[in-house]
Amino acid sequence: MKCFKFDQLTAYVDGILTEKEKGHVEKHLEFCPSCREVVTALQKEDAFLQAAIQSPVLPAGFDDEVLSKLEPYQAKKKRWNWPYQLLTAASIVLAFGLGASFISDIQQSDTGNSETPLVQEEKEALYSVKDEGVLLEVTDVSASPLKIEVFYRLKPEESVLEDFLKKHNVNHLSQVGYDYESLPPSGKIVDLNGQELPQSEVSLGSNGWLQNSVVIRPAKMDEFPLPDTFRAQIEFNDLFMQEGEWKLDIPIDVTEAKPLTKSNSYPIDFMYDDFNAGPIEWELSTNAHKLQFYAEYTKDKKDQLKEIMKARDNEELTPMIMPELSIVNSAGEELLIDGVNLGSHMGESFTFDYEFANRVKGMDVTDNLPRSEELTLKLKGFRLEEPENTQFSVTEWMEETDKNGWTIESVTVEEDTANSKLVSIIGRTNISNLESFIVEVSSDKEWVTKEVINTTVTNDGTFIIQTNMPNSITNYQLDITSVTKWFENEKEIMLW
């Protein structure tokens, strides 16, 4: 899943995207926790700036506090946490977030609480390794049979940091992003005899810009269960464009987490004319939860889609069934999604593996909800994306024409500029549950650029396709390539 660039997310938060672009971003945010963290940080930055602008008088010493926190080099002799948070976060957004906390802390001090610290003292490192001028320190370890997560921070020497910024031709890490880790880490878990244990994946944590971590997910072992104690071996080979070896061998103990790790199956089936979904498999532990969902097209629908894909001969236009769901605690707060893995079986059936952190928004990334917390699955419905193969050739002031459940009622134009016009193609469809569709609009003239338009459909099935065309064009080719359907089915299932 390709993420959006930082400036695209900034434009989304600033509200300057088109409705089409905004829709693409919002659909991506549903399944991407990293981009959601970025958007959240940007929204906090906006709120902080608005508060600062509207405040008649800033607290005494505010400028000095904020400016001092934006300069990582001058604080190396102090045992404070924020400079290296800036380094590992690599984001000016965090600086604004810290600035908001400075206001709160200063205001508390002004009300008489002079003992309130402006910054928290840095956590002591549990383990550390240094090479090529870069110190890697492990600050926390969170372990269960479902997820091993090792949190770390990076401390490059000043010369390494300056060289890194110079190579990128920037002045601050916020302009670089995650590139200071140009190669992903390798990792494995081994028993106390050094024998490697099965694992499903190794990845960087999805904590956005707030915290760095490495995640190792043990494979589910029925015959040979995960031992109570073992070791996690993690290695980085490239940090801040320095080739080196940063190896860590960390003891892991899941003795207490094992009895709190449970699994269950919910034989709930959702039956529709075109597809079926269910059952639901659920695993939960102290620091992570996993939910598996299964969906499959009916035989008649499979045959129909095969014919469409064969006619299209386009591998990118494949069907997709996606449940829309969340898990909430007793307070109605949603658990954060760590990731979603989709397994597509020839575009006919699908397996969804949802990975949830055992925490909600606002909690520290190293904290977890208590296992006594009540958890509920909230299913909103299913969204289907399917290929379509319907074409129309239409002209201005044409008569009504229909095909494959689609009807084009009229084509109207109005002058836009001296050389172009706005073309409005009005139609309707009797395809049920249709939410939107993708249509390619072109002309019978090769020199006119084809336009791809995402068009929404109203509840009564009507739609308007609008495009700009040169004044000389009067014939338009419509190719409806894919459709998105929404099947609402609100249901709550008690998980724990």
Side-chain angles (χ1 to χ4, degrees):
M1 178 169 55
K2 187 176 181 181
C3 290
F4 286 87
K5 295 180 180 179
F6 180 76
D7 57 355
Q8 293 172 310
L9 296 178
T10 303
Y12 168 77
V13 172
D14 290 341
I16 59 176
L17 295 180
T18 65
E19 286 300 316
K20 175 183 175 182
E21 293 168 333
K22 180 182 176 183
H24 287 317
V25 173
E26 289 178 342
K27 177 178 281 190
H28 178 80
L29 291 177
E30 292 179 10
F31 294 95
C32 183
S34 295
C35 285
R36 282 202 305 272
E37 292 275 13
V38 176
V39 169
T40 299
L42 287 169
Q43 290 169 337
K44 287 181 179 179
E45 174 192 342
D46 277 359
F48 166 64
L49 290 176
Q50 287 298 323
I53 292 170
Q54 295 171 6
S55 177
V57 180
L58 288 172
F62 172 80
D63 290 342
D64 292 339
E65 282 294 335
V66 173
L67 291 174
S68 68
K69 303 310 180 277
L70 292 176
E71 178 49 65
Y73 306 112
Q74 296 178 1
K76 285 190 173 182
K77 295 180 182 180
K78 297 180 180 179
R79 296 289 292 175
W80 298 129
N81 191 27
W82 65 264
Y84 300 114
Q85 284 180 335
L86 283 177
L87 293 181
T88 56
S91 169
I92 198 70
V93 174
L94 182 57
F96 280 112
L98 289 171
S101 70
F102 297 155
I103 292 180
S104 174
D105 290 333
I106 293 170
Q107 287 175 339
Q108 289 178 4
S109 297
D110 287 346
T111 59
N113 185 8
S114 59
E115 295 180 358
T116 302
L118 289 177
V119 289
Q120 294 181 344
E121 190 170 347
E122 179 183 88
K123 282 186 176 180
E124 291 295 331
L126 302 176
Y127 312 95
S128 64
V129 59
K130 186 174 183 179
D131 194 18
E132 297 299 325
V134 180
L135 175 64
L136 186 155
E137 294 183 333
V138 173
T139 58
D140 289 280
V141 177
S142 176
S144 77
L146 297 186
K147 181 172 73 172
I148 313 299
E149 187 162 18
V150 178
F151 297 90
Y152 66 92
R153 60 179 173 239
L154 300 174
K155 296 181 179 180
E157 293 179 355
E158 187 168 344
S159 60
V160 172
L161 182 58
E162 289 179 348
D163 184 57
F164 178 71
L165 296 176
K166 184 177 180 181
K167 288 178 180 178
H168 282 82
N169 194 30
V170 297
N171 298 317
H172 198 280
L173 282 175
S174 63
Q175 301 166 279
V176 180
Y178 288 109
D179 289 347
Y180 57 87
E181 294 173 344
S182 55
L183 295 176
S186 60
K188 60 183 178 180
I189 49 178
V190 299
D191 63 20
L192 299 184
N193 296 319
Q195 183 68 37
E196 187 169 350
L197 301 171
Q199 61 195 42
S200 59
E201 68 171 3
V202 180
S203 62
L204 290 172
S206 58
N207 297 305
W209 292 345
L210 303 180
Q211 182 80 43
N212 291 309
S213 68
V214 178
V215 173
I216 302 177
R217 298 188 184 275
K220 192 173 183 179
M221 298 179 289
D222 296 326
E223 187 175 353
F224 301 102
L226 191 71
D228 291 345
T229 57
F230 51 94
R231 307 188 73 82
Q233 297 178 347
I234 299 169
E235 180 179 358
F236 288 86
N237 293 313
D238 188 312
L239 294 174
F240 288 95
M241 300 182 72
Q242 303 292 315
E243 294 185 4
E245 288 188 352
W246 293 267
K247 294 182 178 180
L248 293 161
D249 193 306
I250 303 169
I252 304 296
D253 190 332
V254 295
T255 305
E256 295 183 2
K258 268 190 171 183
L260 300 174
T261 303
K262 307 291 183 182
S263 61
N264 204 351
S265 178
Y266 301 86
I268 300 173
D269 293 319
F270 302 90
M271 313 294 289
Y272 296 90
D273 292 338
D274 290 346
F275 73 99
N276 306 318
I280 299 171
E281 302 290 336
W282 169 249
E283 287 184 274
L284 72 163
S285 192
T286 53
N287 66 346
H289 306 298
K290 294 178 67 175
L291 185 143
Q292 188 175 85
F293 215 110
Y294 182 80
E296 182 177 20
Y297 281 106
T298 60
K299 185 181 183 307
D300 290 344
K301 189 62 178 180
K302 288 178 185 177
D303 294 339
Q304 179 189 357
L305 291 172
K306 283 181 181 178
E307 291 299 318
I308 294 175
M309 289 187 288
K310 183 178 179 181
R312 278 286 180 197
D313 193 24
N314 187 338
E315 294 182 355
E316 294 183 0
L317 293 174
T318 56
M320 179 81 69
I321 303 174
M322 297 177 293
E324 187 171 315
L325 53 83
S326 62
I327 296 176
V328 300
N329 63 4
S330 55
E333 300 169 302
E334 293 185 4
L335 265 62
L336 298 178
I337 297 179
D338 268 346
V340 181
N341 297 316
L342 166 65
S344 175
H345 311 284
M346 306 295 292
E348 299 177 359
S349 62
F350 308 88
T351 304
F352 299 89
D353 289 304
Y354 287 82
E355 295 169 353
F356 293 86
N358 189 27
R359 58 187 175 89
V360 298
K361 184 178 179 181
M363 292 179 63
D364 187 273
V365 294
T366 60
D367 289 341
N368 293 293
L369 291 171
R371 284 290 279 102
S372 58
E373 187 81 33
E374 181 182 283
L375 298 175
T376 303
L377 168 65
K378 284 194 172 184
L379 178 69
K380 299 177 182 178
F382 299 88
R383 184 166 278 108
L384 278 61
E385 293 184 0
E386 300 173 355
E388 176 69 19
N389 189 31
T390 300
Q391 294 82 30
F392 287 95
S393 180
V394 298
T395 60
E396 297 175 9
W397 318 114
M398 58 166 286
E399 295 182 359
E400 185 175 292
T401 180
D402 58 76
K403 185 186 300 182
N404 298 338
W406 300 83
T407 300
I408 302 299
E409 298 177 335
S410 64
V411 180
T412 60
V413 298
E414 56 183 281
E415 184 177 349
D416 184 33
T417 69
N419 300 314
S420 67
K421 56 190 174 183
L422 177 65
V423 181
S424 298
I425 302 169
I426 302 171
R428 66 180 184 275
T429 178
N430 60 17
I431 300 176
S432 60
N433 302 100
L434 197 62
E435 185 179 59
S436 64
F437 62 92
I438 302 293
V439 59
E440 295 181 354
V441 182
S442 58
S443 169
D444 55 353
K445 307 295 183 182
E446 292 184 0
W447 54 272
V448 176
T449 304
K450 180 186 298 183
E451 185 176 6
V452 179
I453 303 174
N454 188 356
T455 303
T456 57
V457 179
T458 64
N459 292 334
D460 62 0
T462 61
F463 59 84
I464 300 177
I465 304 169
Q466 290 191 316
T467 183
N468 287 90
M469 284 285 180
N471 286 332
S472 59
I473 301 300
T474 58
N475 297 318
Y476 312 101
Q477 313 300 320
L478 307 181
D479 185 1
I480 303 173
T481 61
S482 65
V483 297
T484 299
K485 301 176 182 178
W486 170 247
F487 292 83
E488 188 170 346
N489 193 327
E490 294 189 3
K491 193 175 186 65
E492 293 188 2
I493 302 170
M494 182 71 69
L495 297 173
W496 178 257

